Amino acid sequence: MQLAQIITNRQIDPHPANDLVYEWEEDLRQYFGATFSYNRGVQNERYSKFIPFALNWVQTYEPAFTYEMCTQRHNGNNKRNIIPCIIDFYIREPWKVRLWYSQYWRNPAICVASREVYEFLTQTLGLKKIHHLPLSISDRYRITPQTRYEKQYDLVLVGRQNRVLTDYLNRYVAAHPDTTFVRRVLQDGRSIYVDQSGAVVSAVDSREIYIRLMRSARAAMYATPGIDNARQTNGFNQVTPKFLEIIACGCHPLMRYPQNADTDYFRLADFGSHIDSYEQFEISLDKARREPVDMNKYSRYLEEHYTCVVAKRLEQIIRSLA
């Protein structure tokens, strides 16, 4: 099996939140010399509500790969020529998992992004043809030991924020009024970025602005999605790409996370302990404000987590099917 196509939603779902996935797809396309196969939106709205994701799947018969955002899917991807990778997996009840698994009976392999989920499916439930294909960061963000970013702010608050860390930050800012930060806010129905005084830093919200602002920060707050009941994840706590972005942008991560197969795989403990008190948060942010990160350590770490590494892993999975 030689991968020939990457199935993508980019023509029907161009939301900036999906840009990260589209970067992975572009890197995989380049690595395999593949082409894009474009999903199309359902034309008949009368029936679209009966089709998960409102997609009218593309008809492809060449060996293909696709990212699936969650565990709901349509049968258009249940084909012998398609290898899917599920990004968000939050099903834990065995009967529900087996119902989910039954939708993939034609697929030659099923990839899951979470190491914790992979071990649950293969070791706890004994399911076959499951492979771990971890999340990554695009090669376009590669850094070296010599990479330096000018740090303008102490913190940049982007994406979903953890309520416990946010409470700690509010206490910190009250005690340290010289703290500088940028945060995303809604204004007239659109996202913009403002600094600690409320002044607009950027009236545009895009992937490029997001990365630029992250690179200008000394530190960033990070939490796995299920901790503190931030999201309904059924006990799973997957490490998200935001952690890799924090490292690639040369920031100190201030983190809340459990110890599990995912946090062990991504070695979060190498970059900071789980923060469970304000005092610990204060010490960590004080240090982040005065000390630069070790870019040699950061660059060596990311060499294991670029999308090209995932591409090689996917290539190995494909070869194992021969």
Side-chain angles (χ1 to χ4, degrees):
M1 182 178 183
Q2 179 63 44
L3 192 66
Q5 291 190 330
I6 307 294
I7 301 172
T8 179
N9 291 340
R10 62 186 60 224
Q11 288 189 342
I12 61 173
D13 195 6
H15 194 279
N18 298 321
D19 286 348
L20 175 66
V21 177
Y22 300 153
E23 289 175 354
W24 297 335
E25 292 175 349
E26 289 162 5
D27 288 0
L28 292 177
R29 180 180 67 166
Q30 181 176 359
Y31 181 90
F32 287 100
T35 59
F36 281 142
S37 181
Y38 298 97
N39 277 317
R40 304 184 302 273
V42 168
Q43 302 301 313
N44 191 330
E45 295 184 2
R46 178 181 178 184
Y47 299 108
S48 65
K49 65 181 179 179
F50 299 109
I51 304 176
F53 310 127
L55 296 182
N56 197 0
W57 51 86
V58 67
Q59 294 296 319
T60 179
Y61 300 97
E62 296 187 81
F65 172 83
T66 185
Y67 281 108
E68 296 184 357
M69 296 300 295
C70 58
T71 50
Q72 294 178 321
R73 67 170 352 209
H74 54 70
N75 278 335
N77 281 349
N78 186 17
K79 293 182 178 180
R80 292 182 176 86
N81 61 301
I82 297 176
I83 297 177
C85 180
I86 295 86
I87 295 176
D88 291 336
F89 189 106
Y90 302 136
I91 308 173
R92 190 173 287 276
E93 299 88 340
W95 73 269
K96 289 184 179 180
V97 173
R98 295 190 185 281
L99 181 60
W100 161 82
Y101 187 67
S102 68
Q103 302 176 76
Y104 293 76
W105 67 272
R106 288 191 182 95
N107 297 120
I110 306 169
C111 299
V112 291
S114 167
R115 183 73 189 185
E116 184 183 18
V117 168
Y118 167 75
E119 294 187 3
F120 170 69
L121 295 177
T122 59
Q123 298 177 16
T124 304
L125 298 184
L127 298 184
K128 306 300 181 183
K129 70 176 185 181
I130 306 291
H131 300 266
H132 179 221
L133 195 69
L135 300 179
S136 62
I137 186 165
S138 171
D139 297 58
R140 70 196 69 194
Y141 302 115
R142 185 178 296 274
I143 60 174
T144 71
Q146 290 74 43
T147 300
R148 296 292 182 273
Y149 297 120
E150 183 178 352
K151 301 300 182 178
Q152 185 176 355
Y153 306 101
D154 294 322
L155 280 164
V156 169
L157 310 175
V158 291
R160 185 182 289 106
Q161 296 297 316
N162 174 268
R163 60 177 179 80
V164 176
L165 291 176
T166 299
D167 288 346
Y168 291 161
L169 177 61
N170 290 337
R171 288 181 60 184
Y172 185 93
V173 171
H176 305 80
D178 61 334
T179 306
T180 57
F181 59 88
V182 172
R183 60 192 176 96
R184 180 188 286 161
V185 299
L186 278 177
Q187 187 177 90
D188 298 326
R190 59 192 180 93
S191 295
I192 65 170
Y193 293 94
V194 299
D195 66 15
Q196 68 282 351
S197 68
V200 175
V201 174
S202 174
V204 177
D205 183 18
S206 67
R207 178 76 174 156
E208 291 73 20
I209 297 296
Y210 167 87
I211 293 295
R212 177 171 64 80
L213 288 175
M214 285 284 289
R215 287 171 172 169
S216 70
R218 298 178 182 88
M221 300 193 304
Y222 176 78
T224 51
I227 201 164
D228 301 316
N229 297 315
R231 292 174 63 184
Q232 297 302 313
T233 63
N234 228 351
F236 290 116
N237 265 285
Q238 179 176 0
V239 175
T240 60
K242 183 179 177 181
F243 174 73
L244 299 177
E245 292 168 348
I246 290 171
I247 301 304
C249 291
C251 304
H252 290 279
L254 309 176
M255 300 180 286
R256 282 182 63 80
Y257 61 90
Q259 182 179 2
N260 63 26
D262 245 65
T263 57
D264 287 346
Y265 177 83
F266 283 101
R267 307 203 318 267
L268 264 64
D270 289 358
F271 297 89
S273 58
H274 167 71
I275 295 176
D276 59 5
S277 70
Y278 170 73
E279 290 73 22
Q280 190 178 1
F281 179 89
E282 184 176 40
I283 291 171
S284 298
L285 185 48
D286 281 347
K287 180 179 179 181
R289 293 178 69 189
R290 68 173 181 266
E291 296 181 9
V293 302
D294 183 348
M295 291 301 281
N296 182 49
K297 172 184 175 180
Y298 276 34
S299 62
R300 284 188 286 109
Y301 172 79
L302 285 182
E303 288 299 325
E304 304 172 19
H305 299 289
Y306 290 117
T307 309
C308 64
V309 178
V310 171
K312 292 175 184 177
R313 172 60 183 151
L314 178 57
E315 189 173 40
Q316 292 172 351
I317 293 170
I318 293 170
R319 286 178 178 173
S320 73
L321 303 175

